[in-house]
Amino acid sequence: MDGGAAAIRRLFAIDEEWTAANPNEPRRFGRAVIASLPATAASGGRRNDAALVLRIDMGLVSFLLASDIGTPRERELVAEGARLDSTVLKVAHHGSRSSTGAEFVQAVGPKLAAISVGARNSYGHPDAGVLERLAAGRAQIYRTDRDGALIFETDGGTLTVTRWAARQVDRFCLDPEAIC
């Protein structure tokens, strides 16, 4: 167990566990559908490339949670024709230079990108190249080091993003037929 997984197991009862090694069938939770993307086909690669990648769909809104995968796994997903196009991309590996390649950004086409990264971290995340690629793809970038906790909420037609540090809320209407 890495990171906070040990604490989560200690503090919460877990009914089921999803891993990249045992991908589950898509699951419906109310109106949301959560699906794991295909696991890596390459053996002996970087450990992060074996991480679980999830896609969440609800109405017109979709999220791609890219975990800690690097560009080799991203290329694999693009080549396999995995369904990557998403409204929101949770940027892989804290925005490290070894992830979020141009081909992947183009395949995902995110309107919004969220980077989970600590302020003044010793790794220098997020990488300037990653930020440039996301900006070139026209994604609005949110970062936890600047914006604090990020809360994404949707009803399937609108999407709100709360930037906890400034208590600022951005609202996006994704349904061109609706008045939001």
Side-chain angles (χ1 to χ4, degrees):
M1 288 181 262
D2 296 302
I8 290 170
R9 287 185 183 286
R10 210 174 37 254
L11 298 170
F12 298 96
I14 298 172
D15 292 333
E16 64 182 272
E17 183 175 332
W18 289 21
T19 68
N22 297 324
N24 292 327
E25 292 297 315
R27 297 281 304 273
R28 181 172 292 279
F29 297 90
R31 292 179 34 225
V33 176
I34 302 176
S36 57
L37 272 60
T40 184
S43 61
R46 289 183 45 224
R47 182 170 173 235
N48 285 343
D49 284 334
L52 181 65
V53 177
L54 296 175
R55 180 184 165 90
I56 305 169
D57 288 282
M58 184 170 166
L60 300 173
V61 181
S62 53
F63 297 83
L64 186 66
L65 309 179
S67 194
D68 276 348
I69 66 171
T71 50
R73 175 81 189 285
E74 293 173 353
R75 285 188 201 110
E76 207 175 75
L77 289 169
V78 170
E80 290 172 356
R83 186 166 176 218
L84 299 173
D85 60 310
S86 298
T87 313
V88 179
L89 171 64
K90 187 291 199 174
V91 174
H93 206 197
H94 316 286
S96 80
R97 72 172 185 255
S98 64
S99 64
T100 320
E103 181 183 23
F104 187 70
V105 172
Q106 183 178 5
V108 176
K111 291 177 177 35
L112 311 173
I115 304 173
S116 177
V117 61
R120 298 175 301 283
N121 65 82
S122 61
Y123 298 103
H125 296 154
D127 178 71
V130 169
L131 296 173
E132 289 171 14
R133 289 189 290 276
L134 290 167
R138 304 180 103 168
Q140 182 166 332
I141 302 169
Y142 293 92
R143 299 168 41 169
T144 58
D145 61 336
R146 280 189 330 214
D147 300 318
L150 298 168
I151 302 169
F152 290 80
E153 298 175 274
T154 188
D155 62 3
T158 60
L159 176 65
T160 59
V161 182
T162 303
R163 298 185 238 179
W164 193 257
R167 302 291 199 272
Q168 183 175 355
V169 177
D170 299 329
R171 184 177 170 89
F172 302 91
C173 183
L174 301 172
D175 185 350
E177 305 284 319
I179 299 173
C180 298

